[in-house]
Amino acid sequence: MNLTDRQYFALKRAHSLTGVVPIGLFLLEHLFTNSKALQGEAAFNAAAAELARIPYVGAIEALGIWLPIAFHMVLGVIIATTGQANLGKHGYARNWQYTLQRVSGVLLVFYILFHTWMTRFDSDYLNSVSAYAFVGEQISNPAVFAFYVVGIVSACWHLGNGLFGFAIHWGLATGRQAQRNASRFAMAVFLVLTIVGLNSLLAFAGKGIYPDWLTKPHGAEHGPVVYEGGQH
Amino acid sequence: MPRQNIELRIRRQDSPTGPSRWEEFVLPWQPSMNVISCLMEIRKNPVTKQGQKTTPVHWESSCLEEVCGACTMLVNGKPRQSCTALVDNMPDGPITLEPLTKFPVVRDLQVDRKPMFEALKIVKAWVPIDGTYDLGPGPKLSQSEQETSYAFSRCMTCGCCMEVCPQYNTRSDFIGPAPLGQVRLFNAHPTGRMNAHERLDAIMGRGGIVDCGNAQNCVEACPKEIPLTEALGELGKQTTVYWLKNLLNK
Ligand code: HEM
Ligand code: SF4
Ligand code: SF4
Ligand code: FES
């Protein structure tokens, strides 16, 4: 491909941007919806069904999720091949983070292909009565469960640490202290998302951690009314 | 207790394309030696530890006070200036010397740093003042601007930052951190600023600022403690603003 300099610049910036919007936003939404599994089978299935009823869902899914992910993924793999990892010689913390950004990206290629196939296109999934039960069944296989753990941690790392790269590429964090703060923020995002993500995974196995004080809004006597059994 | 002998393991290469080999040397310790004085001792009597006669080890140096960058090599695997690599400050055991790996080897420990000098030309790392009349004295810089600029002006194109940068390699067109630091310097200069867009144009393509992967090794390795990663963030900001302005105005 013959790109002009400015097109090259724009492509690289588009790669950086798509990582945060829409892909990063989508990851937040995805973990949020998955956390509904903490409220039980009916709550999760209702949330999933509600998503499918979003207006223009087909266009939003194709143009807002698949296309950006495909673009980010292809360019990401190309970018990863231009680096020459040198952790062995120079084991600085940031060099670890640089390398893990690439490793997690490559892991995500496999994970995303597997995960979207199983929970979006597989005919058994599409014909299943309960999406919650289908996922629960899947992850009862320890190998699949382990792969989900790897995928979730990779995605959360990749987004969290990606925010640090984003802040520098776009010039949001220029000074030393600002970059240190960006790094702290990035690690906090990674940790929080990882906890939320893994807890929602456990929820599909019926083992999610959901203590009382987390279920009720502050000051309320009761938690929110939860769907009881009713399928949508 | 200072060591009695100094052992050196040196990676040698006779010609730019020739194969490389390791040779070992032992010399008696003397007070206040640095790597270059060791190499000078070897030159007096080039015999290996095993007693074999060999050619004198070739290296490059000039200022001998860490301001020219010419003597940069890998000392115990880390890129640094050999003139300020003091033997008494190094851990016990043999000292390994290798040429930098990111630049073409000329011979033994000497490399050709030309790619860096070429990159400085690409990014126009200078203030153009040639003309038909005297431009007079330029505007003054504030104290804090002077201090930041001074830090960047200390770059001696030694190549340490390039050596450790994972994005600077033969598979990538990235011009590396050192020339980008100089863009930061000259874009802040009150007269140099007038040509800031030319430098930004030069770093907004293949091999430019977007090819940095934020490993931040460069700043760890720079012997002059130049805040390279701050320059990268600053140039990220300058290119973002310049790019958006162009998108909207052109
Ligand atoms: C599908 C496979 C993926 C691959 C191969 C991949 C690869 C990469 C690579 C190599 C980078 C570093 C770019 C650079 O520093 O120049 C990167 C950055 C980034 N990625 Fe991904 N990525 C993938 C998926 C994702 C996903 C799912 C997300 C969202 C959660 C994401 C979000 C980001 C963000 C926010 C950045 C930082 C952008 C920047 O450095 O400016 N990526 N990706
Ligand atoms: S931040 Fe990392 S990738 Fe960027 S120039 Fe420095 S060492 Fe190279
Ligand atoms: S920025 Fe520092 S490490 Fe890089 S060439 Fe200049 S002095 Fe050497
Ligand atoms: S000889 Fe100039 S830096 Fe060492």
Side-chain angles (χ1 to χ4, degrees):
Chain A
M1 236 192 325
N2 269 328
L3 292 173
T4 65
D5 273 356
R6 212 40 73 80
Q7 285 165 342
Y8 183 84
F9 182 86
L11 270 184
K12 280 287 202 92
R13 282 295 170 89
H15 180 258
S16 174
L17 183 64
T18 50
V20 179
V21 184
I23 309 175
L25 266 188
F26 167 70
L27 182 64
L28 293 185
E29 180 282 317
H30 195 44
L31 295 182
F32 174 80
T33 305
N34 289 349
S35 298
K36 289 268 181 183
L38 289 165
Q39 299 170 343
E41 172 160 12
F44 175 77
N45 285 345
E50 192 53 44
L51 278 182
R53 277 200 294 267
I54 290 176
Y56 304 113
V57 67
I60 292 174
E61 193 182 37
L63 299 178
I65 305 177
W66 290 340
L67 186 69
I69 289 188
F71 166 76
H72 185 93
M73 180 149 81
V74 170
L75 195 51
V77 170
I78 294 174
I79 292 173
T81 61
T82 66
Q84 192 179 57
N86 54 17
L87 261 186
K89 282 191 258 175
H90 314 289
Y92 310 118
R94 270 252 73 88
N95 201 17
W96 271 98
Q97 288 162 303
Y98 161 90
T99 310
L100 286 177
Q101 184 71 9
R102 275 128 190 92
V103 171
S104 60
V106 172
L107 283 174
L108 281 171
V109 174
F110 297 101
Y111 177 74
I112 290 174
L113 290 178
F114 167 81
H115 178 57
T116 28
W117 173 255
M118 289 306 277
T119 58
R120 179 68 186 77
F121 294 106
D122 187 87
S123 60
D124 286 348
Y125 171 79
L126 293 176
N127 296 326
S128 67
V129 188
S130 160
Y132 176 92
F134 183 85
V135 175
E137 174 69 29
Q138 262 193 1
I139 60 173
S140 63
N141 176 340
V144 174
F145 184 84
F147 195 39
Y148 266 83
V149 171
V150 170
I152 291 169
V153 176
S154 296
C156 298
W157 168 266
H158 196 86
L159 176 58
N161 188 54
L163 291 177
F164 170 79
F166 182 88
I168 295 184
H169 276 149
W170 291 83
L172 303 175
T174 58
R176 182 161 304 196
Q177 190 56 45
Q179 292 185 4
R180 211 171 283 155
N181 291 342
S183 179
R184 287 193 189 127
F185 177 74
M187 291 306 111
V189 169
F190 161 59
L191 282 179
V192 170
L193 290 187
T194 302
I195 292 168
V196 171
L198 291 180
N199 199 26
S200 71
L201 178 66
L202 289 176
F204 283 99
K207 297 194 185 102
I209 298 157
Y210 202 44
D212 238 17
W213 57 271
L214 269 179
T215 63
K216 288 181 214 153
H218 288 294
E221 282 282 313
H222 305 282
V225 178
V226 173
Y227 302 90
E228 293 293 352
Q231 292 278 333
H232 278 247
Chain B
M1 183 61 202
R3 54 184 107 202
Q4 294 192 309
N5 285 323
I6 301 168
E7 275 199 52
L8 292 156
R9 285 184 75 233
I10 304 180
R11 191 194 278 283
R12 307 206 46 189
Q13 182 171 329
D14 294 335
S15 69
T17 50
S20 69
R21 63 179 188 282
W22 287 100
E23 279 184 2
E24 295 175 334
F25 299 89
V26 184
L27 25 135
W29 176 88
Q30 294 172 42
S32 308
M33 285 184 100
N34 63 28
V35 165
I36 290 192
S37 65
C38 291
L39 292 170
M40 290 164 94
E41 284 301 309
I42 293 175
R43 186 166 61 182
K44 287 187 198 158
N45 179 27
V47 174
T48 66
K49 181 182 174 189
Q50 289 76 16
Q52 245 158 0
K53 225 179 144 36
T54 182
T55 50
V57 179
H58 186 79
W59 79 93
E60 185 181 26
S61 62
S62 174
C63 70
L64 298 180
E65 54 179 356
E66 202 180 278
V67 291
C68 76
C71 67
T72 308
M73 59 182 75
L74 296 178
V75 180
N76 288 335
K78 293 276 173 207
R80 59 182 295 188
Q81 283 63 57
S82 49
C83 66
T84 46
L86 303 182
V87 169
D88 291 343
N89 290 349
M90 272 184 248
D92 291 340
I95 299 165
T96 62
L97 304 179
E98 295 163 87
L100 294 177
T101 63
K102 300 282 178 82
F103 300 95
V105 172
V106 176
R107 195 177 147 190
D108 290 343
L109 300 170
Q110 185 191 2
V111 296
D112 187 356
R113 291 177 292 146
K114 192 170 172 200
M116 250 188 311
F117 304 130
E118 289 301 320
L120 288 175
K121 289 193 227 165
I122 292 172
V123 303
K124 302 185 204 286
W126 55 74
V127 176
I129 50 165
D130 286 350
T132 50
Y133 62 95
D134 185 356
L135 295 173
K140 283 216 163 67
L141 277 172
S142 75
Q143 185 69 30
S144 74
E145 280 175 309
Q146 280 176 34
E147 275 164 22
T148 318
S149 289
Y150 180 67
F152 287 102
S153 74
R154 288 184 307 169
C155 175
M156 53 184 173
T157 40
C158 67
C160 287
C161 56
M162 314 282 270
E163 177 70 21
V164 299
C165 172
Q167 292 291 112
Y168 184 71
N169 62 63
T170 48
R171 265 180 280 136
S172 131
D173 299 322
F174 186 41
I175 57 170
L180 290 170
Q182 295 307 294
V183 173
R184 163 76 180 79
L185 171 66
F186 287 102
N187 276 8
H189 187 283
T191 316
R193 198 179 288 156
M194 294 173 188
N195 305 77
H197 58 283
E198 290 178 22
R199 295 186 203 95
L200 294 182
D201 277 332
I203 61 164
M204 282 170 74
R206 218 179 281 274
I209 181 82
V210 283
D211 282 352
C212 162
N214 288 317
Q216 303 209 332
N217 289 354
C218 47
V219 78
E220 302 278 352
C222 176
K224 294 293 170 195
E225 294 175 3
I226 296 175
L228 290 164
T229 45
E230 296 185 39
L232 295 164
E234 172 63 29
L235 293 178
K237 178 190 281 174
Q238 288 183 18
T239 49
T240 300
V241 171
Y242 182 56
W243 182 54
L244 293 178
K245 264 192 190 154
N246 268 335
L247 279 183
L248 298 175
N249 297 347
K250 262 202 179 146

